Amino acid sequence: MTGSRAGDYRILHEAALRDYLAGLPDLVAQLGGEPAAWAITEVGDGNLNLVFIVKGARGGIAVKQALPYVRLVGESWPLPLSRAHYEYLALTRQAKLAPGLVPALLHHNETLALTVMELLEPHIIMRKGLVAGIRYPRFADDITTFMARNLFFTSDLAIPAAEKKEAIAAFAGNHALCKITEDLIFTDPYRIAEQNRWTAPHLDGLSASLREDMELHVAISRLKLKFMASPEALIHGDLHTGSIMVTESQTRVIDPEFAFYGPMGFDVGAVLANLLMAYFASAGHERGSGERAVFEAWVLETVESVWNEFTRKFLDLWRSEASGDAYPVSLFTGEKGAVRLEAERQAYMQRLFTDTLGFAAAKTIRRIFGLAHNIDFELIEDPKKRAVSEARAVRLARGTMVEAAAFRTIADVTGAARKLRDWQPELSA
Ligand code: SR1
Ligand code: MG
């Protein structure tokens, strides 16, 4: 890692990036050939940063640089460069806890808010694959290993209290990124906000109903408080299918710039929400009835596997690797203690399930009524079809957020999704 004075930050466009990389011998060797011959392409399609792919005679690298503002909106929305520091820190920890499931780090410059990583090739952004109807057989196993290990080993179940509090402090400065989530996910979709948008006019009525739905406002406010005030574990913080790169045999989690100590269910819920949105969007992408049935069945199987495998792996870790200060061993001795502790583990997972479903619902509603939408729905060209898919997703989301008690198992969720697959909502126009 390198860094110099804070005032030395500058945005590196192609020529400046070439010169910068040419001064780093390890990267020059990795790329091969003359710097003048390197092919440099800006490929960032996210909402915040610049991302370059650099290819030389021998190999390639990916370079990510934070901009001092939100790329999606422009310079009118400043954003601290320090997010690159938190992303680097999170990637470093994730690489240790879940080896092989994040890109290798090659270089980091704090001042330039710039990180160089291995080029993931031929991986693609998972969301793009899901829109195309591609199945990813390794995904459930990989993402549940990533989540179970990262969430367990950064929690009070695994590490002593002092270490945990130091770790919370190390990420506490990432509050500007948390604030984005607090506003865009937990507040704006439920009120009039300048940056909101939805598939109008078809969803005008649904949008208005969300703004008047006090049960929903209570539920989203409880979730917002949980997000703000529950430093359970180091969470990725933006674990949607645009933050995951895949091939059919590999999974890599990228982009943890929203990382901080927050509620575990926020990450697990993000994964489930994005799978469920892919499921509901699928009807809008089919060219003939039933064309994507196999894909859709796989998505729902994957929703079930993600929760079930995450639970299994997390509980296995808790049973075999607990060395934190929570649940002191001395309070659960003998046969009676072991039985009671196991029951408590099951109760813990049930609470986490309810949190997960609430956060999944919040993640869904924000993509349909808030600022940042996703291509699962956006690429459905016919706005009426898009609105139908979106309304189905919102119906499930409202149910899981407000009537959480009706969803005791993940099969309850996939069952409800299946029933909504062909439900015809009443649209505004
Ligand atoms: C203004 S940033 C909008 C969204 O992009 C990121 O991927 C996060 O999801 C954030 O909420
Ligand atoms: Mg991102």
Side-chain angles (χ1 to χ4, degrees), residues 372-392:
H373 287 226
N374 59 31
I375 58 166
D376 310 56
F377 294 126
E378 294 295 286
L379 289 181
I380 302 174
E381 270 175 37
D382 177 346
K384 208 165 193 165
K385 269 194 187 175
R386 188 189 325 134
V388 166
S389 284
E390 290 173 329
R392 290 171 181 158

Side-chain angles (χ1 to χ4, degrees), residues 74-325:
E75 294 181 39
S76 62
W77 187 344
L79 198 61
L81 297 170
S82 58
R83 65 186 187 274
H85 162 80
Y86 297 110
E87 174 162 0
Y88 176 75
L89 199 58
L91 272 171
T92 307
R93 295 190 182 189
Q94 291 163 351
K96 284 198 185 115
L97 294 173
L101 292 173
V102 294
L105 284 164
L106 305 176
H107 171 77
H108 178 70
N109 184 315
E110 287 278 307
T111 308
L112 292 174
L114 177 144
T115 305
V116 181
M117 287 161 276
E118 77 172 296
L119 179 61
L120 295 172
E121 226 175 21
H123 305 65
I124 62 166
I125 292 289
M126 185 177 182
R127 196 188 293 290
K128 293 183 182 170
L130 295 178
V131 170
I134 301 171
R135 287 171 276 157
Y136 292 100
R138 283 240 31 94
F139 174 69
D141 189 30
D142 286 343
I143 200 68
T144 54
T145 297
F146 177 86
M147 293 192 297
R149 293 185 62 81
N150 276 295
L151 297 177
F152 177 79
F153 282 114
T154 59
S155 78
D156 288 290
L157 301 171
I159 55 176
E163 190 184 322
K164 166 82 182 324
K165 285 175 176 65
E166 294 289 344
I168 294 172
F171 283 87
N174 205 17
H175 47 76
L177 279 282
C178 294
K179 174 84 169 111
I180 288 181
T181 300
E182 288 151 19
D183 291 343
L184 295 188
I185 297 183
F186 295 108
T187 313
D188 286 353
Y190 305 88
R191 65 179 178 185
I192 303 270
E194 204 184 318
Q195 302 187 103
N196 284 348
R197 67 185 175 85
W198 56 84
T199 304
H202 311 295
L203 295 187
D204 287 356
L206 187 52
S207 161
S209 76
L210 296 194
R211 292 195 296 274
E212 285 158 18
D213 185 340
M214 285 305 125
E215 292 313 307
L216 194 60
H217 291 200
V218 167
I220 194 68
S221 298
R222 286 181 184 169
L223 288 162
K224 180 174 183 176
L225 180 60
K226 190 159 274 175
F227 177 80
M228 296 170 77
S230 310
E232 293 173 351
L234 177 59
I235 65 169
H236 177 285
D238 199 23
L239 195 47
H240 53 76
T241 46
S243 298
I244 299 169
M245 295 192 72
V246 282
T247 65
E248 288 184 19
S249 60
Q250 287 193 358
T251 310
R252 297 284 184 277
V253 176
I254 61 170
D255 272 6
E257 64 203 311
F258 283 77
F260 80 116
Y261 273 73
M264 300 185 191
F266 191 74
D267 274 1
V268 189
V271 172
L272 295 186
N274 281 273
L275 289 170
L276 288 165
M277 283 190 274
Y279 174 75
F280 286 115
S282 182
H285 296 300
E286 68 182 5
R287 286 160 302 175
S289 175
E291 182 201 34
R292 292 169 56 113
V294 174
F295 168 74
E296 289 169 21
W298 172 80
V299 176
L300 292 188
E301 272 164 35
T302 304
V303 166
E304 293 183 4
S305 305
V306 165
W307 176 256
N308 292 331
E309 281 300 287
F310 169 74
T311 303
R312 187 182 66 74
K313 291 176 186 178
F314 190 93
L315 286 174
D316 279 353
L317 289 171
W318 190 349
R319 290 181 194 116
S320 59
E321 307 270 354
S323 49
D325 287 335

